[in-house]
Amino acid sequence: MSASRTARDRVRAELTREIKEAARSRLADDGAAGLSLRAVARDLGMASSALYRYFPSRDDLLTALIVDAYAALGSTAEAANDACAREDLRGRWFSTCRALRLWALAHPHEYALVYGTPVPGYRAPRDTVEPAGRAMRVLTGILADAWAAGRLGPGVAGPPIPDPVRADAARVGEALMPGVPEDAVMRGVVALTQLFGAISLELFGQLEGAVDARDAFFDHNTALMADFVGLAATSTLDRHGQRGARARSA
Amino acid sequence: MSASRTARDRVRAELTREIKEAARSRLADDGAAGLSLRAVARDLGMASSALYRYFPSRDDLLTALIVDAYAALGSTAEAANDACAREDLRGRWFSTCRALRLWALAHPHEYALVYGTPVPGYRAPRDTVEPAGRAMRVLTGILADAWAAGRLGPGVAGPPIPDPVRADAARVGEALMPGVPEDAVMRGVVALTQLFGAISLELFGQLEGAVDARDAFFDHNTALMADFVGLAATSTLDRHGQRGARARSA
DNA sequence: TGTACATCAGTGAACGCGCGTTCACTGATGTAC
DNA sequence: TGTACATCAGTGAACGCGCGTTCACTGATGTAC
């Protein structure tokens, strides 16, 4: 049974993949709000009604694309992180930030799908919640490792944290970087916010005419925020993206 | 001539305003990509063809909305900045950041129009470039004032700035905060990026389930970034949004 | 292995809908003398 | 102030289009005996 099931089912899985692939291409022209089943079917040379054998509605296709985008973003981050020596904390941070930006630049419409303007009328179902956190979790994991290794410096101190914010930071910390004190958690969240702000502004065209050396600019940006969170400067990776460049001292 | 011209022209200006107003409301339901002249006309109780007396095409209406959004964001920032004593630099920074966030929360769809995912197929014309910078210029102006007054601390140092980035920072600094050295310009840009990242993440729903005390969270966020850029902590406004709270020492 | 039946994939026509834009028109408002 | 004319605002019908989704159908693939 399972062997024969896979015969037909492999074709099914393959076509499901192709439909999503075609839909991703369409995204570039029409955006998420304008994603059209008929256009996708046309690109694949099949009847639009055939798509209903694979996705019960347009929104379900959109959901699949969103889940895929989160997953791709997540595994990109994980791969970048894993490519570094575990104890090279600043290197892992840099590598992951860079990988996220490069993925976003290579897949701008999929990035926009998850971190851009929400699609009007579309409500993300539950399936979407879990994969959403994967990329984030890589970055917070680095901070947690740094803290555990006693290698998370004081960073920018800032004013004392008001109680309600402390509660939020405690909850976020519990979920993403257990053991890390609230003020370091806050700095981490601020750094993540900055990271996604930097990627979004570049991707959505707000740097146009203002910043030319985009790669180097992003790297310097990342370096400043690494200092901000207190990630010790032990990496060989934070200048110009050249592995093996001389380590710098903060 | 000019008196009689204004008779008819005042009605025209009024209706132009009403059309844009109705279009703004529509934005909430359908998003920018789905903005429909027919829907706007329906809401106003007029024939859809009548709108062509006011806007030559759908894209021109969209352009008008974008220009308006930038202008509203700009004057919101300016008003918040002007409401503070000129020498209260950190207060001005806080006041402006807060005002921008509150405007965005009050007008999420207009914010998305300018800082969210670009509308597919829409190319912003020239009219859009100048007003885009207004809100930014308020914030950079504060940093420039702080520098001129010798009140811009060292902030986070970061690594030495590579030459291409230095060139970008010099150009941006020239345009937005003349006289401020490149490293401070870079920190300013990073802070602006963080600000828009924070507003966008909150607005686009990424904080859902993670952060509850949104106002206080944003304020603390802002305080950390104010320290990051080196804005001296002399304000009475950076705790809990209460004017007259005790000044704190960094 | 062979046959009878059930399941599934894909088709093409049809549904009802909303869209941007054009056009010839009517009536009101403004202008020139 | 009054009249003749030009300009403008708004109408409603029409154009051609694309959309999501349903449905009865055909033929191929899988299942059970």
Side-chain angles (χ1 to χ4, degrees), chain A:
Chain A
M1 150 197 155
S2 80
S4 61
R5 230 185 71 183
T6 38
R8 185 135 77 179
D9 281 7
R10 266 214 315 263
V11 171
R12 176 169 244 282
E14 175 61 17
L15 234 182
T16 305
R17 223 188 41 73
E18 281 179 28
I19 291 170
K20 292 194 291 185
E21 199 52 46
R24 270 187 280 270
S25 309
R26 271 283 144 205
L27 234 40
D29 291 342
D30 308 325
L35 177 65
S36 142
L37 287 187
R38 294 185 102 112
V40 171
R42 229 179 289 125
D43 289 355
L44 289 167
M46 60 199 298
S48 62
S49 49
L51 295 197
Y52 286 83
R53 301 275 172 217
Y54 296 86
F55 297 94
S57 78
R58 195 202 82 118
D59 275 10
D60 290 278
L61 175 53
L62 207 49
T63 298
L65 295 186
I66 290 174
V67 170
D68 279 7
Y70 275 126
L73 213 39
S75 58
T76 295
E78 285 161 10
N81 182 46
D82 292 348
C84 298
R86 204 169 185 297
E87 68 281 3
D88 181 11
L89 295 156
R90 193 167 167 118
R92 286 164 62 192
W93 181 267
F94 260 84
S95 174
T96 306
C97 289
R98 271 201 196 112
L100 286 173
R101 169 173 173 268
L102 289 178
W103 187 90
L105 289 176
H107 307 87
H109 308 287
E110 291 162 76
Y111 178 88
L113 206 53
V114 298
Y115 287 112
T117 314
V119 181
Y122 173 82
R123 252 330 54 209
R126 282 282 148 256
D127 333 13
T128 262
V129 176
E130 192 278 330
R134 255 174 82 195
M136 296 279 191
R137 231 170 287 126
V138 172
L139 288 163
T140 55
I142 296 169
L143 296 182
D145 286 355
W147 173 259
R151 302 257 304 285
L152 198 62
V156 165
I161 311 182
D163 282 344
V165 177
R166 189 173 293 277
D168 281 333
R171 187 153 19 83
V172 170
E174 178 90 29
L176 295 177
M177 26 187 167
V180 179
E182 280 92 0
D183 61 336
V185 170
M186 267 308 292
R187 282 191 292 274
V189 171
V190 169
L192 292 185
T193 308
Q194 205 282 331
L195 170 64
F196 285 99
I199 294 176
S200 294
L201 281 189
E202 177 176 0
L203 219 60
F204 297 165
Q206 307 286 344
L207 260 44
E208 228 58 57
V211 174
D212 282 346
R214 302 272 167 94
D215 292 355
F217 196 87
F218 178 84
D219 280 357
H220 191 69
N221 184 348
T222 305
L224 283 169
M225 290 312 285
D227 284 356
F228 170 87
V229 294
L231 261 186
T234 54
S235 168
T236 58
L237 234 184
D238 66 350
R239 300 288 301 284
H240 310 117
Q242 301 297 335
R243 224 169 218 296
R246 286 222 303 121
R248 65 172 196 79
S249 55

